[in-house]
Amino acid sequence: SGQAARRYIDRRSVMSHTQAPQRKTYVAKASLEVFYTGGPCRLSYDGTMVAAACHEAVNIVEVGTGKVVHNLPGDTEPITALCWSRDGRRVFTASRSMRCSVWDATTGESVRTFKAHSTPVLYMGVDPTGTLLVTTSADRTARVWDIDKGFCTHAFRGHGGMVTVACFHPDARKLQLYTGSQDGEVRAWSLRERKCVGVLQAHQSSVTAIQVPMAADGGADKLITCARDRVVHEWNLKTMKRISTLPVHEAAEGLVCLDPAAAAGLIGKAAVRAAPDAIYFATAGEKGMIRVWRMGTGKPVSSAVHLMAGRVVGAAHEGQEEDEERDDAAAGTFVSLQPTSKGDGLLAVTGDSRLLFYGSGEVEDRDEEDEEEDDRDDEEEGKIVIQKELIGNTDEIIAAAFLPLRDGSKHGSTSDKLGDGKPALNALAVATNSSLLRVFDPSTMSCTAALTGHSGAILSLDVAIGPNGESLVLTGSRDHTVRLWDLAPAARAVATGRAVSGGAATTAGAKCLAVGQGHVGVVAAVALAKRNGAPLALSGGADKVARVWDIAGALAAYAEARAEAFEAAGIDPKKHKGDHPSVRVEPVMLGAKAAAIAHDKAVNCAAIAPNLTLGATCSGDRTARLWRLPDLIPAGTIRGHKRGVWAVAFSPTDRIIATAGGDKFIKLWSCDPNAGVQSSCLRTLEGHTAAVLSLRFISSGTQIVSTGSDGLLVLWGVRTGAAVATLDGHDDKAWALASDADGDVLATGGADAKLTLWEDGTAEAAEEEAKELALKAGTQQALSNAAASGEHLKAAHLALKLGHPFALRKAIEAMMADPEGHGDAALDSFCSGMKGKTLHRYLSYIREWNANAKFCEAAQRCMASLFRHHSLSELSGVAGAKDTCETLKAFTTRHFARAGRLLRGTYLLDVALAGMGALLDDDVEGGLNIDDEVKTTDHRGIIAEMGFTPTDTNEIDTFGRLGIPAKPAARTPVLTKLPEHVGGDDMDDFDFDMEDDKGDAEELEGEMDEEEEEAEEDPSDSDSDAPPREVVTKKAPAKGKRAAPVKAPEPEPESDSDSDAPPMEVVTKKAPQRGRPPKAPKSSKSAAEELGLAAPPAISPRKTRRQRRESESEQVELEPEPEPKKKAEAKTPAKRKAAPKKEEAAPAKRSTRSRK
């Protein structure tokens, strides 16, 4: 059952965990990336660097390691020409945009740019002195430039077609330049006379190379030219006549003249002795062969192996023929040829972006007896072999696997590297969407071998150790065939370090043992048995058929064929452990043991269980099937994925099988033969964001690594089902995944043409974590000490380094609270040196502080300091700057609005004082005596303190005596009640407007009039019999006008006043004494209305007071107005007329002064 299976996997996982260490992470050790995509490629004169065009940029690559040293950015247009300076310090480039650039090769920086021609430059070269640069262009001209000063010294015109190539005479004293054009014409130019001194017309197509054979007898006066018309011409520079013509039988793309002394290994010592003064040159072209010629002969002196040697033509169906022919045309041709620095080798560039370094060396990896026997032949004959290969563009990396070697095998021992009795990792076999099986050295990431045999692209491969220690590789291809290879010699060459020496980086000793035919479609899945000498293999493909292959029988058949071939050649096979150069053994047929229709769609992957009894296949039909081997008997079907299944693998220790599909999931299934092979899902691993394409078990089956279309490498725990580490290694689909025996080293490859090598970084990560913890503890102690000693600037630096925002804020607040006022200076010193990640972290802290009103002051001060010391471009370069600024802006707007409300609230006191200026204190019993002396100067000071600006002293006196305030200043705030607020106790209920709004003033005046009508007088604390006082106000004069004189109104009959003094604006009446009944109510009109005066702009009572007054049960009865006052009543506003009359309230016991 499922529960029993889960208990089983938990128990087995616990046992495995005690045996194998658990890995936490991986670290990318090396990677092979695209550095050349076609176009110009030039070797430096010292032979250590290569400048190669990569789209619109140029990469400077180190020849020894294949690593990109510098990337010279372009201008979005392809590179059309480039060259090196003689000293190797500068690189000259030209793009299709007609811009030429000079670069510093040591720093990768641009030195100068200029425009050389009106059309793109096609060729660039430097003279022997290193002071002149020649450029040829499609505008049919050639120009010579001074390198140091950057100006044009010569401009040569005369060609009838595009000038494709140029060459300076090697002898600097000659001062001659030779150019070739697309129409086959060659011209000689004199730099002294600045004119054409010869026209050489013989070629019928575009000239591709021009050379002066300086090493030959009289070579300084001769010229060698080649073109795509399949011939090479020899010219006499004195007479400008053709001497001879040599057919090369191919469209030559490159020609290099050889020095017989330096290139004797390429030419052959016998040939050099026969004609030491002859002209020797090497050609490369469309046939894919490097050949050495001697002028005057009709056949090559020596030649290299064809690029596609050993490849079987055909065997692909019609739909693939066009694509394969196009791929073969690129892979089997050369596009350029250059000499090495010492003249003893050649650099040939292929059409599929490979850089092949040719030299003289051993062709075969033979025993010492074979080498001694053939020493004489090697000395006499020229040998041209590939010594090194750099792959500029691997295209898609589809499959990869490490080649294992076992110590004590019959082919040798590498116990110092491989260990005792354990399979070890050496070379890396890679399928790169081509028909070549490539072998890479993991230490340098350089290609050490390229094997031909398939006629279509290789889509799958697997490796195992053979019964005799062979490094067996099984490959499946688009040519519908399966091939079995022995790559032990190539693996040993890498393991022993011979892959970097002459001749070892070839296909020497690596051979194809058998070819299996039977599939009628693309073979996309192969699997080799990993134990017992790999006796069988399983394959599947687009024909939906699974096949079991007899590997043991094929190895035995090949051994018999080899023995027969040696006997036919008369050589004892027992004396030669390897192959003999004179004996060629053809691959044998790989027989099939069983075949069956496996799925409804193409088979994507295959696997064989460690016990060799079960096999598994998966397909795009969303299922995986189990088979009993070797008879291919169905043993079960796994269903559960919602999309096609791309990968399947058996656990090396548990009865578990893992599947990965296009639904982004990895599923673990029980696979117990004793339980009837009832597959139940144990766990589902979720973490990839796209389809999972490959997976492997590592750490003795306790962990899984997987890659997918998201380009991620994910490390999983089998027991927990959680992702331990997620690593981003590719920009596109990661198709290939290879691991060593237990996962110490991984290799991944994908559609981005990138091959990455990963190493277990668990130990390094643990050491770094321990160091970080120790450093963090020390830093925290230093932070505590700095905070305690008052070194706030130091504390801020330490808090930011540790990532403690609380401690950082405390330090900043302490700096701002400096009593000496040095807080801003300290904060500026703290912010001035920030950059990169530190600045990003600091901005994130400021964002968090600014979101809280308690800490916004510190955030605002920090922002101000940042803006003072960092430019906008620098701040905008911080990661997430846009989102951070939006957050800061939103909360800063709120903080400023709140601060504005607080600031406006402070105006309440000013407005209140301004309103209180209209009321006079009545501390003196009996009120104010009009005969009392009122000092004008005192009123002027009071009015000035309240913010008023009277224009005249008389006006001040008049207003002061009448109790009417002077006109406020232009910016005096006006208090108005906000309509949306109900309460009256919050200062936010008022809106302060700095402008003198006439409408607001009138509304305020109207409210004040109503308040005065409803107001009631409190009983006086005095025992005097004086009548109550009543305040009568006069309307303030209009703006810009002086107040009109006030006339005394006629005395009212009801008035008890005995004074004969003239009427004043302030009229007082004694309140009734305690115990006396109040007088009859008066008219609703106030004394101010009777005098025709308006009330002063004083502050109105609070709304809550009005509510309290309206809620009182007793109403104030006002005294009716006499008939003569009807005119004044008619002049009152309608609002005042409509106000209901109220009864006079009972006298309160508080004083009039306290109420005012």
Side-chain angles (χ1 to χ4, degrees):
S1 64
Q3 296 180 356
R6 290 185 179 89
R7 289 195 298 270
Y8 172 79
I9 186 176
D10 291 339
R11 183 172 65 255
R12 292 299 298 260
S13 298
V14 170
M15 295 174 61
S16 301
H17 275 284
T18 60
Q19 298 174 359
Q22 295 299 294
R23 293 172 173 82
K24 300 298 183 181
T25 184
Y26 282 89
V27 179
K29 178 184 178 182
S31 63
L32 176 64
E33 301 182 15
V34 177
F35 66 83
Y36 176 57
T37 56
C41 178
R42 301 292 289 272
L43 181 67
S44 63
Y45 287 95
D46 59 1
T48 59
M49 297 288 179
V50 170
C54 184
H55 301 294
E56 70 274 4
V58 175
N59 288 324
I60 299 178
V61 183
E62 189 176 8
V63 175
T65 61
K67 296 181 179 179
V68 177
V69 180
H70 295 294
N71 178 269
L72 312 180
D75 54 1
T76 70
E77 291 292 339
I79 301 296
T80 57
L82 61 85
C83 71
W84 287 85
S85 63
R86 289 285 175 174
D87 57 4
R89 296 181 179 179
R90 294 185 179 181
V91 177
F92 307 94
T93 63
S95 68
R96 199 167 60 184
S97 65
M98 297 168 286
R99 189 184 75 172
C100 297
S101 302
V102 182
W103 304 86
D104 188 341
T106 59
T107 62
E109 297 179 355
S110 177
V111 177
R112 184 173 62 253
T113 60
F114 62 96
K115 182 178 180 180
H117 297 268
S118 59
T119 57
V121 176
L122 302 181
Y123 182 85
M124 305 179 82
V126 179
D127 77 322
T129 63
T131 59
L132 298 178
L133 173 70
V134 61
T135 59
T136 65
S137 173
D139 61 1
R140 307 176 185 180
T141 64
R143 296 176 183 269
V144 180
W145 304 81
D146 187 288
I147 293 178
D148 295 332
K149 298 181 180 179
F151 63 89
C152 180
T153 60
H154 301 78
F156 297 122
R157 298 177 177 85
H159 280 287
M162 296 186 296
V163 185
T164 57
V165 68
C167 175
F168 284 100
H169 197 286
D171 188 356
R173 297 170 297 179
K174 293 283 187 179
L175 289 178
Q176 286 186 349
L177 175 68
Y178 311 101
T179 58
S181 64
Q182 191 180 23
D183 58 2
E185 182 184 69
V186 178
R187 285 178 175 261
W189 308 87
S190 174
L191 299 181
R192 286 192 181 96
E193 300 176 4
R194 299 176 179 270
K195 66 177 182 178
C196 179
V197 295
V199 179
L200 312 178
Q201 294 181 343
H203 288 290
Q204 304 300 321
S205 62
S206 177
V207 181
T208 56
I210 301 176
Q211 291 281 310
V212 178
M214 293 294 293
D217 186 17
D221 296 328
K222 295 179 181 180
L223 192 68
I224 305 296
T225 61
C226 74
R228 295 193 178 102
D229 55 3
R230 300 172 178 265
V231 295
V232 174
H233 293 300
E234 179 186 3
W235 306 86
N236 189 331
L237 295 178
K238 293 182 178 180
T239 62
M240 297 297 171
K241 301 295 183 180
R242 182 175 56 181
I243 300 175
S244 62
T245 301
L246 177 65
V248 295
H249 309 290
E250 69 172 340
E253 296 293 339
L255 181 146
V256 174
C257 289
L258 301 176
D259 184 358
L266 299 176
I267 301 171
K269 293 183 179 180
V272 172
R273 286 196 300 268
D277 298 331
I279 299 175
Y280 294 94
F281 60 90
T283 59
E286 62 181 1
K287 287 190 175 181
M289 293 179 63
I290 301 294
R291 295 182 288 183
V292 177
W293 306 80
R294 184 175 65 195
M295 187 60 70
T297 61
K299 59 181 180 180
V301 177
S302 62
S303 62
V305 180
H306 194 280
L307 290 176
M308 304 304 293
R311 177 182 179 275
V312 179
V313 181
H317 59 80
E318 297 180 359
Q320 297 173 348
E321 289 180 357
E322 276 190 26
D323 296 338
E324 291 176 0
E325 288 179 2
R326 185 166 52 251
D327 296 340
D328 295 343
T333 60
F334 290 108
V335 296
S336 68
L337 185 67
Q338 306 169 49
T340 57
S341 59
K342 298 180 180 180
D344 57 349
L346 300 169
L347 170 59
V349 182
T350 65
D352 59 348
S353 304
R354 290 185 293 160
L355 280 63
L356 305 179
F357 291 85
Y358 284 89
S360 60
E362 300 291 338
V363 178
E364 300 290 341
D365 183 18
R366 299 188 296 273
D367 299 330
E368 294 181 0
E369 296 179 1
D370 300 336
E371 294 177 358
E372 293 176 359
E373 182 180 346
D374 297 328
D375 277 344
R376 183 176 301 174
D377 296 338
D378 292 342
E379 291 177 358
E380 297 298 328
E381 298 179 2
K383 304 299 180 183
I384 306 176
V385 296
I386 300 175
Q387 293 183 335
K388 190 177 186 61
E389 178 178 357
L390 297 179
I391 300 180
N393 186 5
T394 58
D395 200 1
E396 291 190 31
I397 298 177
I398 300 177
F402 286 99
L403 297 178
L405 276 178
R406 185 169 54 197
D407 186 25
S409 64
K410 296 182 180 180
H411 284 265
S413 174
T414 55
S415 59
D416 55 340
K417 276 197 171 187
L418 306 178
D420 298 331
K422 294 182 180 180
L425 296 173
N426 295 277
L428 183 65
V430 179
T432 59
N433 198 25
S434 71
S435 60
L436 299 176
L437 175 60
R438 292 190 169 99
V439 179
F440 284 84
D441 185 357
S443 60
T444 61
M445 298 303 290
S446 60
C447 182
T448 61
L451 303 173
T452 60
H454 282 289
S455 60
I458 299 175
L459 301 181
S460 59
L461 63 86
D462 197 9
V463 298
I465 298 178
N468 298 321
E470 302 94 342
S471 295
L472 299 180
V473 178
L474 186 68
T475 58
S477 172
R478 293 178 62 187
D479 59 6
H480 308 172
T481 63
V482 174
R483 284 183 175 261
L484 181 66
W485 310 78
D486 180 14
L487 302 185
R492 287 199 305 273
V494 173
T496 57
R498 296 177 58 224
V500 296
S501 61
T506 65
T507 59
K511 52 188 174 295
C512 179
L513 303 179
V515 179
Q517 297 180 352
H519 282 285
V520 294
V522 173
V523 182
V526 293
L528 273 171
K530 300 298 187 294
R531 297 181 181 178
N532 303 332
L536 53 85
L538 179 63
S539 67
D543 56 0
K544 312 173 189 176
V545 175
R547 290 180 177 271
V548 177
W549 304 94
D550 185 7
I551 301 298
L555 293 176
Y558 183 82
E560 294 178 0
R562 178 179 177 275
E564 293 177 358
F566 271 77
E567 290 178 0
I571 302 174
D572 187 2
K574 296 181 180 179
K575 295 182 179 180
H576 299 273
K577 298 179 181 179
D579 294 335
H580 194 276
S582 60
V583 179
R584 180 177 179 83
V585 183
E586 295 294 335
V588 300
M589 293 300 298
L590 182 60
K593 285 189 174 183
I597 297 177
H599 294 273
D600 297 334
K601 293 185 178 181
V603 179
N604 295 329
C605 186
I608 297 178
N611 58 4
L612 311 184
T613 59
L614 284 178
T617 57
C618 62
S619 171
D621 60 2
R622 297 180 288 183
T623 64
R625 296 182 183 273
L626 301 178
W627 309 88
R628 292 191 179 273
L629 300 180
D631 300 327
L632 276 181
I633 299 175
T637 302
I638 297 175
R639 303 179 185 274
H641 285 281
K642 298 180 180 179
R643 294 190 178 181
V645 184
W646 284 100
V648 62
F650 283 95
S651 172
T653 56
D654 300 329
R655 296 167 183 172
I656 299 172
I657 185 172
T659 58
D663 54 2
K664 312 175 188 178
F665 299 145
I666 298 175
K667 293 181 177 291
L668 302 180
W669 311 82
S670 64
C671 182
D672 189 0
N674 299 328
V677 198
Q678 297 179 0
S679 300
S680 59
C681 184
L682 305 177
R683 276 181 177 78
T684 299
L685 312 182
E686 302 181 16
H688 279 280
T689 59
V692 186
L693 302 178
S694 181
L695 60 87
R696 294 287 186 275
F697 278 93
I698 61 171
S699 304
S700 299
T702 60
Q703 290 181 308
I704 293 176
V705 288
S706 62
T707 59
S709 297
D710 50 10
L712 300 178
L713 172 65
V714 184
L715 175 64
W716 307 88
V718 173
R719 184 180 180 184
T720 61
V724 179
T726 301
L727 307 173
D728 189 0
H730 296 273
D731 299 329
D732 207 336
K733 297 181 180 67
W735 291 103
L737 174 61
S739 67
D740 68 347
D742 203 33
D744 290 333
V745 182
L746 303 177
T748 59
D752 56 355
K754 184 178 179 181
L755 180 64
T756 305
L757 193 68
W758 307 83
E759 283 189 348
D760 182 14
T762 304
E764 291 80 359
E767 292 178 1
E768 291 180 1
E769 185 177 359
K771 292 180 181 179
E772 288 179 0
L773 289 176
L775 181 62
K776 187 176 182 180
T779 309
Q780 287 179 346
Q781 184 62 41
L783 172 60
S784 301
N785 297 339
S789 60
E791 299 178 5
H792 305 301
L793 181 59
K794 180 180 179 181
H797 283 289
L798 293 175
L800 184 60
K801 181 179 180 180
L802 290 173
H804 291 176
F806 178 77
L808 176 60
R809 180 174 56 80
K810 289 296 183 182
I812 291 175
E813 290 176 348
M815 284 190 290
M816 294 190 313
D818 186 6
E820 298 182 0
H822 302 309
D824 289 336
L827 192 59
D828 291 346
S829 176
F830 174 68
C831 298
S832 60
M834 291 185 184
K835 60 182 179 179
K837 294 182 179 179
T838 304
L839 183 59
H840 176 264
R841 185 186 304 172
Y842 188 53
L843 279 174
S844 64
Y845 293 161
I846 292 175
R847 179 186 60 190
E848 298 299 329
W849 299 339
N850 196 55
N852 194 328
K854 296 181 180 179
F855 315 133
C856 66
E857 182 182 358
Q860 295 295 325
R861 296 279 289 273
C862 293
M863 278 194 293
S865 181
L866 279 179
F867 293 151
R868 286 195 297 267
H869 293 87
H870 295 274
S871 63
L872 179 60
S873 59
E874 186 177 359
L875 292 175
S876 61
V878 178
K882 182 179 179 181
D883 296 337
T884 302
C885 288
E886 290 179 354
T887 306
L888 289 173
K889 179 182 178 182
F891 283 99
T892 301
T893 304
R894 296 184 183 181
H895 298 325
F896 270 92
R898 181 170 55 85
R901 291 195 301 270
L902 293 175
L903 178 62
R904 291 192 300 270
T906 60
Y907 297 150
L908 178 62
L909 181 60
D910 298 339
V911 175
L913 291 175
M916 292 172 62
L919 301 176
L920 299 180
D921 198 352
D922 54 349
D923 290 340
V924 181
E925 184 178 357
L928 175 67
N929 190 350
I930 59 175
D931 296 333
D932 294 342
E933 181 180 0
V934 181
K935 295 184 179 181
T936 305
T937 55
D938 293 340
H939 284 286
R940 184 183 298 109
I942 295 174
I943 294 173
E945 288 181 1
M946 290 190 298
F948 296 103
T949 57
T951 58
D952 191 90
T953 304
N954 298 330
E955 185 176 345
I956 295 176
D957 293 343
T958 305
F959 290 170
R961 293 179 182 277
L962 296 178
I964 302 174
K967 184 183 70 173
R971 300 295 295 174
T972 301
V974 177
L975 181 65
T976 57
K977 192 70 172 59
L978 291 177
E980 57 269 21
H981 292 282
V982 178
D985 295 331
D986 193 354
M987 73 171 185
D988 289 342
D989 294 345
F990 300 95
D991 180 45
F992 300 94
D993 189 2
M994 298 298 296
E995 301 294 336
D996 187 12
D997 193 346
K998 182 178 180 180
D1000 293 343
E1002 293 178 356
E1003 182 179 356
L1004 183 64
E1005 180 181 344
E1007 292 181 0
M1008 184 173 59
D1009 293 341
E1010 293 181 4
E1011 297 289 345
E1012 291 178 354
E1013 292 177 2
E1014 298 173 359
E1016 55 187 1
E1017 296 292 333
D1018 292 336
S1020 176
D1021 296 337
S1022 175
D1023 296 334
S1024 173
D1025 297 335
R1029 291 177 295 178
E1030 183 178 358
V1031 179
V1032 181
T1033 59
K1034 180 181 178 181
K1035 188 173 182 180
K1039 186 181 297 184
K1041 296 182 179 180
R1042 188 178 299 274
V1046 182
K1047 295 182 180 180
E1050 297 179 1
E1052 297 180 2
E1054 297 82 8
S1055 176
D1056 298 335
S1057 177
D1058 299 329
S1059 176
D1060 297 330
M1064 299 178 63
E1065 293 187 25
V1066 180
V1067 181
T1068 61
K1069 289 187 178 181
K1070 281 286 185 177
Q1073 293 184 0
R1074 187 174 302 172
R1076 294 184 181 182
K1079 291 187 176 183
K1082 296 183 179 181
S1083 173
S1084 61
K1085 291 186 180 181
S1086 63
E1089 292 176 353
E1090 294 176 358
L1091 295 175
L1093 302 177
I1099 184 169
S1100 61
R1102 293 185 178 182
K1103 187 175 181 180
T1104 54
R1105 181 184 299 173
R1106 180 186 302 177
Q1107 293 174 353
R1108 290 196 302 268
R1109 293 183 183 280
E1110 291 177 355
S1111 62
E1112 292 179 358
S1113 58
E1114 297 181 358
Q1115 301 295 330
V1116 179
E1117 296 182 3
L1118 300 179
E1119 183 178 354
E1121 293 291 339
E1123 291 297 330
K1125 303 299 181 178
K1126 288 184 179 181
K1127 292 184 179 181
E1129 182 179 358
K1131 295 181 180 180
T1132 57
K1135 183 177 180 181
R1136 216 178 302 166
K1137 281 187 176 182
K1141 296 182 179 180
K1142 299 181 180 180
E1143 298 179 357
E1144 186 175 353
K1149 294 186 178 181
R1150 60 182 178 180
S1151 65
T1152 305
R1153 178 182 177 185
S1154 63
R1155 200 186 112 210
K1156 292 182 181 179

